[in-house]
Amino acid sequence: MNNFDYVILGAGLGGLSAAACLTKQGYRVAVLEKHYLPGGCCHTFDCGEYSFCADVHYISQCAPSQTIGQFLNYIQRNVAFNSLDPDCIDRVITPEVNFKIPLGWENLRTRLLSTFPEETDAINRYCNQIQQIHQEIHSLVQEIHWFNRQWSDWFKLPKYLNLYKKRTWTLQDLYNHVGLSPKLQALLAGQSGDYALPPNQIALITHTSLVWDYSEGAYYPRHHFKSFVDTITDAITTAGSVIKYSTPVTHIEINHNKVESVIAGTQTYKANYAYISDLDPKLTVQLMHNKKALTHREYQRLTNYQYSASVFNIYLGLDSRFQPQKYGIGNWNLWYYPTGNLNNEYERQLQGDLSQPWIFLSCPTMKSREPGIAPPGHHILEIATICPYAPFKYLHQSNPKGYKAKKREFYQQIMTSVRNLIPDVDNYARMKISGTPTTSEFYLGQPQGNIYGAKLVPEQVGLNRLGYTTELPNLFLVGATAGYPSVPGVISNGMDLVELITKQSVRQKTDIPKPLITVE
């Protein structure tokens, strides 16, 4: 029997942030991870001379007063970040626009108005609505902890009537309300891959939070994401806690309405205080191997939700002849929508039609010139889009040759969009890797290869998110579906949860140096 104060299932960033904060408070923590690498979606894998981050390409909330800055301050670690180009953090390309999204909400408004003067009124209405909703969300979360609501919170809600009325709105509802043209609708949803939903499905409050966060700052770790994750794991292990890799949890033992222990490999782990699952909630329930371990109502709550879209990733290592600037690639992201109709493109791709797929494209070697991910002078590209899960799952189980053929087919279709941006990309490629939804399912523990946990539709966000607690008093949830996805989202989940269970403040300032932020 291995005894610890806390046992955490999964070494994604939610689990790692909780482990780091608990360790900082003097608790001894065990983190049990199926993979041989930490970080979940943020882990870095090597292939030959190149290294790629699995699913994360840029992040927000890195300033000292924001989530990641506060977290690093609390665990007394420092990470240097590069800011993406303030004049262009995201470049959106459709048949009608080629637009650079700058830092700063008012900078975006000004650029939109100067580029599309014929839509002045609609642009101002859109920008004003997003600004108002952001201000109301910011104020609300200062007053009410959504994950630990009190009866007195009801008295605070009347002032948020506008937010309450828009809780069921999608981004498309706002577009229709303010009267934006289809051209601008596509542009302003250009960062849609950051929540993997089209305008007619994404919750307006989620879109608002994302675009506002990135307007305040878009960052890339100067020494790449591996260094960022390693900094967190070092804070855990050097202070006496442990991370067990290649140690999948196979069973959660429930007795008398509490978790008694977990089994991982041939070992049993017991927590003195609580168990924290960074696994998908449905997987967590499955590991109990007993539906009666939970009441019917709690079982339904923890298993009856929809997943976000599945993703297909391509990773390319390019030789020193490749000059990114020649193709308009720099210290920013590219979003390419071949038809400009995002609602239609998402629908077609999830039905298996990738004849004209939208793509996200990032060049991490342009976001930081520090070594570690490619040979000197070489570059890497990370490309992603959405696709259906079912055909890959079926073929992976029943027809390995068919699976490989489908993987090649989707790869070539996605590369068609890449070649629209970089016509001769194949001439420079020294390394080509692709990952299907079943790849993500196996290596990242993401059921159906989903990218953001529970789908971010109005019915599954806000007060409808699962939350961190379960009816079992010593079992807590900390992943993307429990709280919110994204790097700052899941790190915030870990911070919130630690404050909830230990009653000790995590979001406090210390005297260590502030994170270093520069523009490259």
Side-chain angles (χ1 to χ4, degrees), residues 117-399:
E118 69 281 5
E119 296 199 50
T120 293
D121 290 344
I123 290 169
N124 279 323
R125 285 194 292 268
Y126 169 83
C127 291
N128 291 342
Q129 286 278 349
I130 295 293
Q131 185 170 15
Q132 180 182 354
I133 294 168
H134 159 72
Q135 290 171 344
E136 291 174 350
I137 293 172
H138 181 74
S139 179
L140 178 63
V141 299
Q142 299 302 310
E143 290 197 73
I144 298 173
H145 287 163
W146 67 270
F147 55 88
N148 187 28
R149 297 189 297 275
Q150 307 297 322
W151 69 267
S152 57
D153 290 340
W154 290 101
F155 295 109
K156 304 171 185 176
L157 296 179
K159 70 176 77 171
Y160 300 105
L161 182 61
N162 176 62
L163 194 58
Y164 177 79
K165 288 180 177 178
K166 291 185 171 63
R167 74 193 187 283
T168 60
W169 278 33
T170 65
L171 175 59
Q172 190 66 53
D173 291 324
L174 178 62
Y175 284 166
N176 296 340
H177 178 71
V178 302
L180 284 166
S181 68
K183 174 175 62 179
L184 278 186
Q185 289 183 28
L187 164 58
L188 293 169
Q191 297 150 304
S192 70
D194 286 334
Y195 40 66
L197 282 171
N200 63 6
Q201 294 188 45
I202 183 63
L204 176 58
I205 61 173
T206 301
H207 170 81
T208 297
S209 297
L210 181 132
V211 296
W212 194 275
D213 278 357
Y214 278 122
S215 78
E216 292 185 331
Y219 307 94
Y220 181 89
R222 186 177 304 168
H223 297 282
H224 311 292
F225 280 107
K226 183 180 186 302
S227 176
F228 176 66
V229 174
D230 287 348
T231 297
I232 302 172
T233 60
D234 181 72
I236 296 167
T237 57
T238 58
S241 291
V242 300
I243 304 174
K244 299 280 190 178
Y245 299 110
S246 301
T247 306
V249 173
T250 54
H251 180 65
I252 301 174
E253 182 65 26
I254 311 293
N255 274 320
H256 305 295
N257 198 41
K258 293 181 72 176
V259 179
E260 184 174 277
S261 62
V262 300
I263 298 173
T266 61
Q267 301 291 311
T268 299
Y269 294 82
K270 189 174 180 66
N272 298 327
Y273 298 114
Y275 300 81
I276 298 169
S277 180
D278 193 20
L279 309 180
D280 179 82
K282 294 182 186 182
L283 293 181
T284 304
V285 171
Q286 288 174 17
L287 289 171
M288 298 176 187
H289 300 111
N290 180 8
K291 285 188 177 182
K292 294 183 179 178
L294 302 169
T295 63
H296 176 73
R297 180 177 181 180
E298 181 72 343
Y299 179 85
Q300 290 296 114
R301 186 179 78 87
L302 296 181
T303 60
N304 191 26
Y305 55 87
Q306 293 180 307
Y307 286 121
S308 57
S310 305
V311 65
F312 195 107
N313 290 298
I314 294 176
Y315 310 93
L316 301 178
L318 307 179
D319 67 29
S320 58
R321 295 172 299 151
F322 177 64
Q323 300 299 315
Q325 301 92 330
K326 175 182 174 182
Y327 305 94
I329 298 170
N331 183 13
W332 53 78
N333 305 301
L334 280 171
W335 301 90
Y336 173 57
Y337 299 95
T339 71
N341 185 333
L342 275 64
N343 290 328
N344 180 259
E345 288 183 23
Y346 271 83
E347 182 179 5
R348 283 193 303 101
Q349 288 184 218
L350 290 176
Q351 291 174 350
D353 179 0
L354 270 73
S355 56
Q356 288 184 296
W358 67 263
I359 60 168
F360 165 88
L361 186 149
S362 170
C363 184
T365 41
M366 291 296 288
K367 293 176 179 175
S368 174
R369 304 301 173 91
E370 294 294 326
I373 58 174
H378 291 219
H379 290 280
I380 64 173
L381 297 180
E382 296 169 346
I383 301 144
T385 192
I386 60 161
C387 70
Y389 165 75
F392 285 106
K393 181 64 173 178
Y394 172 76
L395 291 170
H396 191 265
Q397 292 178 330
S398 64
N399 184 352

Side-chain angles (χ1 to χ4, degrees), residues 18-48:
C21 293
L22 288 168
T23 301
K24 176 66 169 57
Q25 293 180 7
Y27 296 103
R28 190 160 183 262
V29 182
V31 182
L32 309 177
E33 170 57 40
K34 172 185 176 181
H35 199 6
Y36 61 89
L37 294 169
C41 293
C42 201
H43 86 261
T44 297
F45 66 93
D46 300 328
C47 192

Side-chain angles (χ1 to χ4, degrees), residues 53-65:
C53 187
D55 257 343
V56 180
H57 313 285
Y58 70 142
I59 53 179
S60 63
Q61 294 281 312
C62 294
S65 62

